[in-house]
Amino acid sequence: MKFSSSLLLVGFVLHANDVLSAPNPDPKAAWVRQSRARKAASKIGKRWSNGTSAHPPVTSCSENNYTQILAPKVNVWGGLTDVEAASVTQWLFAQPEFNLTVSDEAGEWDNTILLVELMHPNKTDVLNYLDNAGPIPDRYAHVVLDHRACEEPYYEDILVGPIEPYGIKNGTTGWESLQYPYTRKTAGRVRNLDADADDTLYSRWIYKISATISDITLDLWGGTALGLDNDTLSIWGIDPLWQDDGRVVRWDAFWSNTVDNFDTQTLLPLGLYFRSDVTGRDPSQWKFEGWYYNGLFYETTEAFRSAYYTPGFAKLGANVEGDWARTDQIGPVLPLDTASPPASITPSGARFAVDAESKWIQWMDFSFFVGYQRDTGLSLWDIRYKGERVLYELGLQEALAHYAGQDPLQSGTAYLDSYYGFGPYAFELVKGYDCPAYATYLNTSFYVSETTHTHLNSLCLFEYTADYPLQRHSTSNYVSVTKNTYFTIRSVSTVGNYDYMFSYSFYMDGSINVEVRASGYIQSAYYANNEEYGYKIHDNLSGSMHDHVLNFKADFDIQGINNTVAVVNQVPVSATYPWSKGKARNTMKLEKSYIETEESSRLFWGPNSATQYSVINKDAVNKYGEYRGYRISPSLGAIHLTVEDSSNLANAARWANHDIQVTKQHDTEPRAAHAYNNQDVHNPPINFDAFFNGENLTQTDLVLWLNLGMHHIPHTGDLPNTVFSTAHAGLSFSPLNYLDGDPSRQTVNQVRIDYGGGNVSAVETFGQEQGSCAVEYSPVEVDLWGYKGDVVVRKFPFDPNNPYYETDAIV
């Protein structure tokens, strides 16, 4: 369930969790100090900030702090500072053409600021800065204005800048409509279908319709939905609204209210729906268009009422909250379950380095910058392996949850979650549960309603040793095994009823994994007549079938920006060889080809997992003459949307129709989707289909758009919550002829045991730390009493010295 009335738009920056302080009073001086420190570090050429090429010596088994390090460059994707966001906000209010009202004082007919965040610079400019000692790209703010002081309200994307390191500089800063990243060149303005989604919609429309059948709802369910404090029912409906023939239509449904603190409402449908035409902002012109109940449609309230009070009318049961819908422990305790489960520790402390201010992370032979945005949350930039860039950008683009069912609500629902944003809902992680207790935790901060909110501990960084080795081999006289230790950065965003866990992991063999898991409450359907769309999972409840499709952008740069996508198919053949004496043999071989143009670059994974796609550089060969590259492999749940030519989405999610799609990189195509694509599905700001115009893809700068997800048909095991172990999808990027051998041989965390005749003759541990230490451990949970809400700093007026806590600002 997503409530459009709670829409918020925010801009993100990141902070380390060990310090939460007021902004530096002289940010320009701080910027200069950072630049000087980075120049000094680059001259030293050492990996660790203590000036050595090895990790500092271990002093305590319980020391988990990361090594502090200086990034080689400024993080150009890291977000606006507090001072910058405050100065942009102040400047915007000073522009009379915007006619802005402070959010706390704004009504439905006032203009407000929804978003102030850093506009990511163009790749062309960034590469000149990173690779060619060029100037750092100018900084601009991406601002979204909500124009409601008009008959046809709209969102407007604008650019404000350039912004100096110390904020807006009067006389040099201006604004312009932001259009270049969008396929619809009028996309600087997008209509707002939810301008009246709060007071007007409910008080002047929905509750009045509900009141016309309050006697029926009382008779059916013993409750009403009238906008009163004692309401026991709620009403909410489809997303996106239907947009057909110039009309805007919504379907709404009745739901039982929750009776305690558990978030169970999406499990409590009641099976009654009504349709409204809500085109325009004048409720007097809106039209009620009928009721739907138990497979029958009634065009008027009178027709529904007449049928209801006719003898023999079938009155269906209600879904009511109970222990079946609550997430607390129930049932007999499992055998030995009260004993402490296994726990992981880091006896040598964290084995990675972080520049917390610049959000630059280094682990083993990998390094990358961290970015964070309102729409898509966590992203990684300038990912380097052994000092060479392999990915310029890796991150989420959009997430779709497309439902189906016999009723109009399930049939009409297709959430595009960047509309709500993954950033605002990346709440504080629970130590020891979401991530290991020993992980390093970082904060994310964002702009909303003239304030900056900070989600404490909302990113985690950790190493983990898998429960299986990376390599092993046994012979008659030795056994060799290598530990499989990897590094992960993770966030969790709770968008409506679903919790999405995003993990990016790096491995000793040079691989990079992208994983997404989903948990939380399903959006269920009423059971009546829904047999073709789901299982009956409770007394009056059906699991509502739906597809989760999540699109990721992977901008590969393998040995430079000029790359090609290679295709290798493993195919059955009947072949005759010189040695087979004229007899054909049934066998298999490789079919090799390349994706040459965008006309053939929208791809599916082949049957039998026999198709391999890789990004290679034809100008970079290894010593054996093979092209160096990275292979892309689905580990689980690499899917595309089942629905063809969706009636709900039209052109708003064309990226969801294939498994892999390849385009030529353009600074004008940074995103596969726009947060407001759901506001104009037929002519959205970004129509992904427009990216494909037949361009040549041979040895050029490529972007891969990759889909992960789940075909989810909820069953009884999804009650009360879907579990992460089954709702799981992932992709792996692994070196292909990239190095001369297996790079994991470099790790000392392996062993070779020589044996024979029942005796061990040697144990080789390759220089692993052999010291011992006492680990302090008590078999109790991590102290979780420090779990907090957001930390808030006012931006207009700017008040950095009086932060306060808040827990309910964005939900």
Side-chain angles (χ1 to χ4, degrees):
M1 174 180 60
K2 278 76 171 183
F3 292 101
S4 59
S5 60
S6 64
L7 169 64
L8 293 166
L9 293 159
V10 291
F12 281 81
V13 294
L14 298 174
H15 302 283
N17 67 337
D18 52 344
V19 177
L20 182 64
S21 59
N24 191 303
D26 188 359
K28 182 180 181 181
W31 184 280
V32 172
R33 286 196 301 272
Q34 295 169 28
S35 299
R36 288 174 178 171
R38 288 186 187 92
K39 290 178 181 178
S42 64
K43 291 179 180 178
I44 295 172
K46 300 296 185 181
R47 175 176 298 179
W48 305 100
S49 59
N50 64 357
T52 70
S53 59
H55 194 285
V58 177
T59 57
S60 168
C61 281
S62 60
E63 183 181 315
N64 292 324
N65 293 332
Y66 58 82
T67 299
Q68 297 181 16
I69 195 170
L70 294 173
K73 294 281 188 175
V74 172
N75 185 348
V76 297
W77 312 278
L80 298 175
T81 67
D82 278 346
V83 171
E84 288 173 333
S87 66
V88 171
T89 303
Q90 184 178 16
W91 184 88
L92 289 167
F93 274 99
Q95 309 310 307
E97 65 265 38
F98 296 143
N99 187 27
L100 295 171
T101 302
V102 174
S103 298
D104 288 345
E105 302 172 5
E108 293 178 359
W109 289 81
D110 291 316
N111 299 338
T112 57
I113 304 171
L114 294 183
L115 171 68
V116 176
E117 71 177 5
L118 179 70
M119 182 69 188
H120 286 163
N122 293 334
K123 181 180 181 180
T124 306
D125 299 326
V126 174
L127 291 186
N128 186 42
Y129 166 64
L130 292 180
D131 300 341
N132 302 322
I136 191 168
D138 288 338
R139 292 165 67 80
Y140 287 82
H142 174 204
V143 174
V144 176
L145 304 177
D146 187 3
H147 291 273
R148 299 193 179 199
C150 52
E151 288 293 336
E152 297 183 356
Y154 60 93
Y155 300 113
E156 183 175 22
D157 292 274
I158 66 172
L159 274 182
V160 175
I163 304 171
E164 301 294 333
Y166 43 84
I168 290 291
K169 184 177 180 180
N170 290 332
T172 63
T173 296
W175 74 275
E176 63 182 87
S177 177
L178 179 59
Q179 298 186 11
Y180 75 84
Y182 311 134
T183 59
R184 195 187 81 190
K185 293 311 177 185
T186 58
R189 294 187 175 188
V190 186
R191 66 181 182 184
N192 179 356
L193 297 182
D194 295 312
D196 299 308
D198 296 320
D199 294 340
T200 297
L201 176 65
Y202 277 87
S203 65
R204 298 182 64 182
W205 189 252
I206 286 179
Y207 290 140
K208 287 188 175 181
I209 293 173
S210 176
T212 66
I213 61 161
S214 59
D215 57 327
I216 293 177
T217 64
L218 280 168
D219 183 60
L220 274 175
W221 310 308
T224 55
L226 302 173
L228 304 176
D229 291 340
N230 62 349
D231 279 355
T232 57
L233 308 176
S234 292
I235 302 172
W236 50 272
I238 61 172
D239 182 350
L241 301 181
W242 287 3
Q243 302 154 44
D244 294 319
D245 299 324
R247 311 305 296 176
V248 178
V249 174
R250 60 181 299 131
W251 277 97
D252 287 284
F254 286 81
W255 304 76
S256 292
N257 279 350
T258 59
V259 296
D260 50 29
N261 288 329
F262 289 92
D263 191 24
T264 61
Q265 189 173 85
T266 58
L267 297 181
L268 308 176
L270 295 171
L272 177 59
Y273 315 87
F274 61 93
R275 173 178 168 135
S276 307
D277 183 327
V278 292
T279 307
R281 300 195 73 184
D282 182 1
S284 68
Q285 301 300 310
W286 295 353
K287 300 176 182 178
F288 170 77
E289 295 187 333
W291 299 94
Y292 180 76
Y293 185 74
N294 195 15
L296 297 175
F297 180 69
Y298 304 90
E299 293 188 357
T300 65
T301 299
E302 291 73 18
F304 178 48
R305 177 178 299 280
S306 175
Y308 185 83
Y309 286 110
T310 299
F313 182 85
K315 300 178 183 180
L316 306 178
N319 286 299
V320 180
E321 182 180 337
D323 285 344
W324 63 276
R326 301 178 179 125
T327 56
D328 277 355
Q329 194 276 333
I330 58 173
V333 175
L334 298 171
L336 302 180
D337 194 34
T338 56
S340 295
S344 297
I345 60 170
T346 54
S348 296
R351 303 194 310 162
F352 51 86
V354 180
D355 183 334
E357 189 168 2
S358 292
K359 284 77 68 180
W360 187 67
I361 297 168
Q362 188 176 59
W363 176 79
M364 301 299 168
D365 274 334
F366 283 103
S367 67
F368 56 88
F369 287 95
V370 177
Y372 218 87
Q373 289 195 296
R374 189 229 71 119
D375 293 353
T376 55
L378 174 65
S379 57
L380 308 185
W381 300 82
D382 194 31
I383 300 174
R384 297 183 182 234
Y385 179 54
K386 295 186 178 295
E388 298 179 333
R389 183 183 303 113
V390 293
L391 282 155
Y392 174 78
E393 177 186 356
L394 177 60
L396 179 71
Q397 295 296 295
E398 183 60 281
L400 163 65
H402 200 304
Y403 289 75
Q406 66 81 30
D407 68 69
L409 189 140
Q410 303 303 324
S411 180
T413 298
Y415 298 120
L416 292 170
D417 282 336
S418 72
Y419 173 75
Y420 304 94
F422 285 86
Y425 301 104
F427 298 115
E428 183 171 0
L429 297 165
V430 180
K431 297 178 180 179
Y433 288 86
D434 288 321
C435 311
Y438 60 76
T440 294
Y441 292 83
L442 304 178
N443 303 334
T444 56
S445 297
F446 54 94
Y447 174 98
V448 58
S449 301
E450 292 84 54
T451 64
T452 290
H453 285 241
T454 297
H455 282 322
L456 302 176
N457 304 325
S458 49
L459 292 180
C460 69
L461 319 173
F462 61 91
E463 268 193 304
Y464 199 80
T465 298
D467 61 354
Y468 63 94
L470 186 60
Q471 166 275 334
R472 82 173 318 278
H473 183 62
S474 292
T475 73
S476 59
N477 54 19
Y478 76 89
V479 59
S480 170
V481 189
T482 304
K483 288 185 178 179
N484 187 8
T485 301
Y486 58 89
F487 174 81
T488 296
I489 180 169
R490 173 177 292 167
S491 69
V492 177
S493 293
T494 304
V495 185
N497 50 308
Y498 265 109
D499 296 59
Y500 292 96
M501 175 179 284
F502 299 98
S503 301
Y504 298 88
S505 298
F506 300 82
Y507 289 78
M508 291 284 188
D509 68 344
S511 295
I512 303 168
N513 278 15
V514 181
E515 288 186 294
V516 59
R517 298 177 185 269
S519 186
Y521 285 96
I522 62 170
Q523 176 175 297
S524 59
Y526 198 76
Y527 82 98
N529 309 302
N530 207 54
E531 295 83 0
E532 293 182 306
Y533 300 91
Y535 303 114
K536 186 175 183 180
I537 59 175
H538 205 256
D539 294 344
N540 302 299
L541 200 65
S542 173
S544 182
M545 70 178 295
H546 56 284
D547 277 355
H548 291 282
V549 188
L550 298 98
N551 186 256
F552 287 81
K553 179 182 181 181
D555 183 346
F556 280 92
D557 287 346
I558 304 298
Q559 298 291 295
I561 63 172
N562 293 325
N563 295 160
T564 300
V565 173
V567 184
V568 176
N569 282 300
Q570 192 168 321
V571 297
V573 297
S574 181
T576 302
Y577 304 95
W579 46 263
S580 65
K581 295 185 177 181
K583 292 185 178 180
R585 298 184 61 82
N586 294 331
T587 181
M588 57 187 171
K589 65 169 57 174
L590 301 180
E591 286 183 349
K592 299 179 180 179
S593 62
Y594 303 98
I595 303 299
E596 297 183 348
T597 72
E598 289 179 344
E599 293 174 345
S600 58
S601 68
R602 309 186 80 169
L603 310 168
F604 299 101
W605 295 107
N608 197 30
S609 299
T611 302
Q612 298 182 16
Y613 297 106
S614 57
V615 180
I616 63 167
N617 189 330
K618 288 186 173 184
D619 297 323
V621 297
N622 64 16
K623 65 182 182 180
Y624 307 110
E626 298 289 352
Y627 299 134
R628 300 174 68 184
Y630 259 70
R631 176 185 170 187
I632 299 95
S633 305
S635 53
L636 183 67
I639 70 165
H640 58 275
L641 181 62
T642 303
V643 179
E644 297 180 356
D645 198 19
S646 168
S647 300
N648 297 328
L649 295 175
N651 298 316
R654 295 298 186 185
W655 51 265
N657 296 333
H658 295 78
D659 298 331
I660 304 175
Q661 296 164 95
V662 187
T663 61
K664 183 175 181 178
Q665 193 279 336
H666 291 288
D667 290 340
T668 55
E669 296 175 350
R671 282 279 312 277
H674 187 284
Y676 304 124
N677 269 9
N678 67 351
Q679 300 293 291
D680 195 347
V681 298
H682 296 284
N683 189 19
I686 297 179
N687 183 344
F688 188 68
D689 278 352
F691 284 23
F692 298 85
N693 51 12
E695 290 186 281
N696 187 282
L697 299 180
T698 301
Q699 287 302 101
T700 189
D701 196 356
L702 301 179
V703 176
L704 273 65
W705 311 88
L706 306 162
N707 283 327
L708 290 175
M710 315 98 185
H711 300 302
H712 193 183
I713 308 173
H715 62 101
T716 54
D718 286 284
L719 298 178
N721 276 184
T722 295
V723 292
F724 278 148
S725 57
T726 57
H728 172 214
L731 283 167
S732 176
F733 309 143
S734 55
L736 177 69
N737 297 314
Y738 190 79
L739 302 170
D740 291 338
D742 171 14
S744 72
R745 298 306 86 219
Q746 288 183 262
T747 180
V748 301
N749 286 286
Q750 56 180 298
V751 66
R752 191 190 73 246
I753 304 171
D754 296 340
Y755 63 93
N759 297 306
V760 172
S761 58
V763 177
E764 177 59 69
T765 57
F766 305 99
Q768 294 178 38
E769 184 178 296
Q770 298 299 306
S772 61
C773 58
V775 177
E776 296 181 4
Y777 173 72
S778 300
V780 294
E781 297 293 350
V782 178
D783 181 6
L784 299 176
W785 287 94
Y787 198 85
K788 296 179 175 68
D790 294 345
V791 177
V792 184
V793 175
R794 296 190 186 280
K795 286 291 186 298
F796 188 77
F798 190 29
D799 192 4
N801 298 313
N802 293 291
Y804 59 95
Y805 284 99
E806 188 169 85
T807 60
D808 58 355
I810 66 171
V811 293

